[in-house]
Amino acid sequence: YYEVLLHLFGAKLEAQDDSNLLALFQKLVLLTPGFLPISEIEEPIFGIPHAPNACLQFLRYLRSKGDTVHARKVYRTVIFESSLGNIFNEFDEDMMVTFVEEAVALEQDSSGKKADKRNALVRLLEEASKLFEDTELGRKYQERLREVKLAGPPTNEGALFLEDTTMGTGGSANLLNEKFNKFQVVFLRRDCSGAINRTPIDFGGLFDGLTDEDKASWCIETPGRHQDENVAPVEFLGPSMPAQRGYCSFLVQKDESAYRNTLDRLPLQNPLSGIHWHYPSSALWLFVGRNPLGNLNLRGRPEHTDSITNDGTWHFQYSGQKTWFL
C-alpha cells in the first residue's frame, strides 16, 4: 500500500494533477515513520523512489506553480512539525540539504512584507542549524542565521545580480567592475535561447581529437571516486547515456585549433560585449555530468577555493541543470 502511494504520488506530479495531492502527501508523512529504515524502489514507475524524494519533488512542483502557501505547508511539515527532517537527513544528507535550500529560496523569493520574510528565514535557518548540529553544515547555517539577523533577509534582487537589460550600454564595463569589486562574483541573467547552436557538441569526439597534454587533464570530480577507476573518457562522453554515474572534467588548452573550434560552437564567446578579458593563456574547462538516476542528486566538486592569476572566469551552462553554492 505504501509503495502504491509513492507510485500514485509520482503519477499525479508527472501529470500535474493537483487533485488529492496534498492529502496523499499527508498520508505519506504519517506512514513513513512506520516504514523504517527507508528503502528505495528499484524501478519507480513515475520517478519517485522513496518518501524523501517525494517531498522534495512536491516542494519543487509547488514552487514552480507559484503556490507559496502550500509549499510552506510542505517544508514546515517536514522540518518543523514532524520527525521526517531527521529521518530524511539520516537517509540522504545531500537530499535533505537540497530540500532545506529549496525552502530557503522559497522564502527569499516570496512577495510578503520584509519583516515576515525575515522571520520565516530566521526560523528556517534555526531549524536547519539544529538539523545539522555539530557538523560543518550546521555551522554554516548558523553563520547564515547571524547574517539574516544582522542585515535582514537576503534577496535575489540585490546588487550581486545584473539583468540582461542593463547590459549593452556604454556603462556596462563600469557597472560590472563595481559589482565584481564588491562581491567578487556576478550573476548575469541572460536569455541565450536564440543564440544557442542546436547541434549538440560531440564531447567524445572532441576529447578523442585532443593532444595528449590536454587528454592528461581528464579528472573525475565526483567525491568518493578515484582517478584509477575504469571510466573511459570517450565512453563517458559519448552520445548514448552510459551506465556510469559521475561528474568529470577536462581542459581544452594546449591544442589551439581545438580551442578555437570549440569556442566557436558556444552560444556565447564573451558574456559582455565591449569588455575584453585578460588571460595569460586561453583555456576552456569543460564539466560533464552523467546521472541516469535523474531524481537523485549527483554531487559535483567538493567545496574548494580556486586560485587564479587572470581577470577572473566566466561560466556558461550549456545544458541540463546544476545548483551552485558560492
Side-chain angles (χ1 to χ4, degrees):
Y1 176 73
Y2 182 68
E3 187 169 317
V4 168
L5 282 180
L6 288 171
H7 289 311
L8 179 59
F9 194 81
K12 283 184 170 289
L13 281 179
E14 186 174 294
Q16 299 187 22
D17 177 4
D18 292 352
S19 62
N20 298 321
L21 254 181
L22 196 60
L24 277 174
F25 166 73
Q26 290 169 338
K27 281 187 179 181
L28 288 170
V29 167
L30 289 171
L31 289 172
T32 295
F35 287 86
L36 299 180
I38 292 174
S39 60
E40 186 172 327
I41 300 173
E42 290 187 4
E43 296 182 1
I45 302 172
F46 297 100
I48 301 293
H50 43 63
N53 183 268
C55 294
L56 176 59
Q57 296 302 331
F58 192 29
L59 179 58
R60 285 174 167 168
Y61 172 75
L62 292 170
R63 276 197 69 205
S64 71
K65 293 185 60 182
D67 189 348
T68 303
V69 172
H70 288 109
R72 280 195 180 116
K73 173 69 176 174
V74 169
Y75 89 69
R76 287 175 178 175
T77 298
V78 172
I79 299 176
F80 300 162
E81 300 165 6
S82 72
S83 59
L84 290 184
N86 289 316
I87 292 171
F88 291 175
N89 189 41
E90 289 178 9
F91 174 71
D92 188 336
E93 183 182 75
D94 289 344
M95 183 172 290
M96 193 60 217
V97 171
T98 303
F99 185 89
V100 170
E101 290 301 324
E102 286 282 343
V104 169
L106 173 76
E107 296 300 352
Q108 288 175 340
D109 294 339
S110 65
S111 57
K113 296 179 181 178
K114 268 192 171 184
D116 293 339
K117 182 184 290 191
R118 180 179 182 277
N119 290 337
L121 280 168
V122 166
R123 187 182 179 197
L124 185 52
L125 293 172
E126 282 176 343
E127 291 301 320
S129 300
K130 296 175 186 174
L131 189 62
F132 302 105
E133 197 171 9
D134 297 327
T135 67
E136 184 61 29
L137 268 172
R139 287 186 283 275
K140 287 180 180 179
Y141 279 116
Q142 287 173 356
E143 182 59 33
R144 288 168 70 177
L145 175 61
R146 283 193 289 271
E147 290 173 1
V148 170
K149 286 181 174 179
L150 288 171
T155 169
N156 281 351
E157 300 303 324
L160 171 64
F161 291 79
L162 298 179
E163 297 290 346
D164 188 40
T165 53
T166 66
M167 298 294 101
T169 63
S172 61
N174 291 334
L175 182 60
L176 176 70
N177 287 334
E178 174 190 334
K179 306 309 178 189
F180 186 79
N181 288 335
K182 182 174 182 180
F183 294 100
Q184 296 298 291
V185 59
V186 176
F187 177 76
L188 172 62
R189 292 190 180 97
R190 166 161 286 182
D191 179 10
C192 298
S193 57
I196 291 181
N197 185 339
R198 296 300 176 185
T199 305
I201 293 177
D202 178 8
F203 291 105
L206 169 64
F207 184 88
D208 197 35
L210 293 177
T211 64
D212 289 343
E213 281 185 290
D214 278 345
K215 285 182 177 179
S217 67
W218 174 257
C219 180
I220 300 172
E221 306 282 358
T222 311
R225 301 191 68 172
H226 306 286
Q227 296 300 116
D228 58 354
E229 291 191 40
N230 186 25
V231 180
V234 176
E235 282 186 26
F236 185 85
L237 298 169
S240 61
M241 177 66 78
Q244 292 104 333
R245 182 173 185 262
Y247 187 59
C248 301
S249 70
F250 64 94
L251 284 165
V252 180
Q253 182 176 28
K254 303 297 183 182
D255 189 328
E256 182 63 27
S257 175
Y259 169 78
R260 292 304 320 172
N261 289 337
T262 307
L263 192 64
D264 288 342
R265 297 292 306 281
L266 297 181
L268 284 178
Q269 295 189 21
N270 187 341
L272 299 171
S273 58
I275 294 180
H276 301 288
W277 301 68
H278 168 69
Y279 299 108
S281 61
S282 299
L284 291 174
W285 197 356
L286 283 73
F287 290 84
V288 180
R290 291 290 204 188
N291 189 9
L293 306 176
N295 288 307
L296 299 178
N297 289 337
L298 171 67
R299 288 290 296 274
R301 297 193 74 193
E303 185 173 338
H304 62 281
T305 301
D306 285 328
S307 176
I308 57 174
T309 57
N310 49 47
D311 283 351
T313 61
W314 61 275
H315 304 254
F316 182 87
Q317 183 80 17
Y318 187 78
S319 67
Q321 296 179 336
K322 182 163 81 170
T323 300
W324 282 41
F325 295 92
L326 298 178

